[in-house]
Amino acid sequence: MTITTSTPVLPAVRPYESYVYAYPHKTAYRPLEDRPALRSLWAAEPKDALSLYIHIPFCEVRCGFCNLFTRIGAPEELTTRYLDALDRQAGAVRDALGDAEPVRFAAAAFGGGTPTFLTAGELERLCDIAEKRMGAELRSVPLSVETSPSTATADRLAVLADRGTTRISIGVQSFVDEEARAAVRPQRRADVEAALGRIRDARIPVLNIDLIYGIDGQTERSWLASLDAALAWRPEELYLYPLYVRPLTGLHRIGPAVTGPEAQALEEAAWDEQRLRLYAVGRDHLLVHGYEQVSMRMFRRTDAPRKQEGPEDYACQTDGMIGLGCGARSYTSALHYSFDYAVDMREIRSIIDDFTATEDFSRAEVGRYVDADEARRRHLLQSLLQAAGLPVADYRARFGTDPGADFRAELAGFAARGWLDTSAPDGLLRLSLSGLAHSDALGPALFSPGVRAAMAAYEQK
């Protein structure tokens, strides 16, 4: 696909505006005045290839960079009350899906937080909720579970392996102890290595390791040391994340090292340069060590088993998702919904307490309606941020229009910056290497004015 453009004077752009893992972002969600019934929301939706996501909002510690919906610890049998609420919610959601047509789950994931914060017995119950309440056949579909070094114990991993887990993702972030401390992540490399050994012993087919670049004091040499330490375990996948400092997180409370707008601008520019440099070093290192780039963040070992990843045509751009738990999202074609969102620990605790006390889960409480324009933006955004790109014919088949016409100004701007691959075959809209490197600037550039306004008006809590 050819995008023509003149040569405008382009304003400066920061490469790290926002990590776009879902659109619209939850900060654009608002309380739904009509509180629609789930039964009506799902009545006309396809239900033969759903995705199931269950959120566990507990961690043993909270890292300095973390802005996820999670709390530290679970006193007074809170995990039991949370699982009780999950059970009630699953029953209400499965009832809302009805039995007029077959309900099938094509993929499942347990995230958080840290799902393996739960004990082995609690993980068994979690799997029972997915299987017996929701009808997800965990041993027959791809099942991904997140873990941490301190909670990846042999008994927990044995449960996950037995219940059909095909992928386990562990947040390591850095194998260098000093860097872990700088990111306010208390861990020792010896404990990380022991956890990785237990994961490999459990024989779960796909291991993913998360690493972070841009940590204070991190150098190319130390970054390569972390990459090589990860590669020693031959993980099927590696995710490389740029460090962000988000409002209300531990690193944000520490504050910048300098004061004054000019000094802060210089510091931010130097940090951007550091992250771009380390990203390129990491990308190139993985490419020469037998990995292929799937997105800006994701790298897959070229000989990794593909059958564990689910149907090749499954895409979150098109298929519905059922989210269970107070931090989970659900997607229908017309509404994305969840529960309230927060980062501050006191607010999170309050939301979790409200969730565990809820008896009626039959209605959507917080969300955002998605019109035809937003659906087009979501599809383009989530396809374009993949290294494989967007087949224009797929977009036309779904929407009856052409992305070059629907997003002429945005795509022309990307082309002017060199973010589009001019060597891509006809009919394929694909990012260049520079475009992939700037995914966290490119993605937000596709946000609609309405979503931008809602996000700007969101009150951080």
Side-chain angles (χ1 to χ4, degrees), residues 97-428:
L97 294 176
D99 296 310
E101 57 185 296
V103 175
R104 177 180 174 272
F105 290 93
F110 302 156
T114 309
T116 49
F117 179 90
L118 301 178
T119 66
E122 290 170 334
L123 286 172
E124 291 276 16
R125 187 181 179 195
L126 180 67
C127 292
D128 284 343
I129 290 171
E131 291 185 333
K132 297 176 182 178
R133 286 291 193 185
M134 293 304 302
E137 299 178 3
L138 297 183
R139 293 181 178 88
S140 301
V141 302
L143 170 61
S144 178
V145 182
E146 296 176 10
T147 191
S148 67
S150 64
T151 62
T153 58
D155 58 338
R156 293 174 169 105
L157 293 169
V159 169
L160 295 177
D162 179 66
R163 299 302 289 261
T165 301
T166 55
R167 177 183 183 271
I168 194 148
S169 178
I170 182 168
V172 172
Q173 319 315 351
S174 177
F175 282 85
V176 179
D177 290 350
E178 293 81 6
E179 290 179 2
R181 286 195 294 271
V184 194
R185 181 179 178 85
Q187 68 180 26
R188 297 186 307 134
R189 177 171 175 171
D191 297 330
V192 171
E193 301 278 2
L196 289 167
R198 292 191 294 271
I199 291 171
R200 281 311 197 195
D201 289 344
R203 305 183 70 84
I204 292 170
V206 174
L207 164 65
N208 173 72
I209 297 176
D210 288 345
L211 297 176
I212 283 181
Y213 56 92
I215 300 170
D216 187 31
Q218 191 175 47
T219 64
E220 291 185 22
R221 182 175 181 179
S222 66
W223 176 227
L224 287 170
S226 273
L227 289 166
D228 286 337
L231 289 173
W233 292 97
R234 288 187 51 77
E236 286 70 24
E237 295 175 4
L238 276 159
Y239 271 72
L240 309 184
Y241 289 95
L243 179 66
Y244 275 95
V245 177
R246 296 303 195 192
L248 304 182
T249 61
L251 288 178
H252 184 261
R253 285 191 290 270
I254 293 173
V258 298
T259 59
E262 292 186 5
Q264 289 185 26
L266 289 173
E267 186 178 70
E268 289 172 354
W271 191 30
D272 287 345
E273 190 277 332
Q274 178 205 22
R275 286 181 288 180
L276 281 173
R277 184 179 69 255
L278 294 178
Y279 160 79
V281 167
R283 175 198 63 202
D284 295 347
H285 196 65
L286 294 185
L287 292 179
V288 299
H289 280 80
Y291 287 75
E292 61 180 336
Q293 186 166 20
V294 180
S295 68
M296 172 187 167
R297 288 166 171 75
M298 181 182 175
F299 295 80
R300 180 195 295 125
R301 212 177 72 210
T302 53
D303 62 345
R306 302 300 178 90
K307 64 182 180 179
Q308 307 297 341
E309 298 168 11
E312 289 296 324
D313 60 351
Y314 180 81
C316 61
Q317 295 96 317
T318 56
D319 296 331
M321 185 166 83
I322 299 289
L324 301 179
C326 58
R329 311 161 190 256
S330 295
Y331 303 145
T332 72
S333 58
L335 178 70
H336 293 186
Y337 64 92
S338 65
F339 293 89
D340 202 3
Y341 170 72
V343 176
D344 181 77
M345 190 63 68
R346 291 169 297 181
E347 296 285 349
I348 290 174
R349 288 171 178 167
S350 176
I351 294 170
I352 293 173
D353 288 344
D354 289 344
F355 176 83
T356 61
T358 299
E359 295 292 336
D360 181 6
F361 287 100
S362 65
R363 294 181 176 274
E365 302 288 342
V366 177
R368 185 174 184 86
Y369 286 97
V370 178
D371 61 17
D373 174 68
E374 296 290 18
R376 286 177 169 84
R377 288 180 182 276
R378 179 175 182 247
H379 190 93
L380 174 63
L381 189 155
Q382 294 188 318
S383 300
L384 196 56
L385 293 184
Q386 301 296 306
L390 168 66
V392 175
D394 291 355
Y395 184 98
R396 289 178 182 144
R398 183 177 182 193
F399 300 109
T401 56
D402 190 287
D406 292 345
F407 299 98
R408 188 179 308 277
E410 292 92 337
L411 293 174
F414 298 160
R417 292 186 181 278
W419 289 352
L420 298 183
D421 183 1
T422 57
S423 68
D426 288 343
L428 181 66

Side-chain angles (χ1 to χ4, degrees), residues 56-59 62 66 68-72 112-114 345 348:
I56 304 299
F58 306 112
C59 288
R62 192 169 197 190
C66 179
L68 298 178
F69 187 97
T70 187
R71 62 160 291 166
I72 301 171
T114 309
M345 190 63 68
I348 290 174

Side-chain angles (χ1 to χ4, degrees), residues 87-103:
D87 197 30
R88 294 193 299 273
Q89 185 189 15
V93 172
R94 183 60 188 86
D95 181 66
L97 294 176
D99 296 310
E101 57 185 296
V103 175

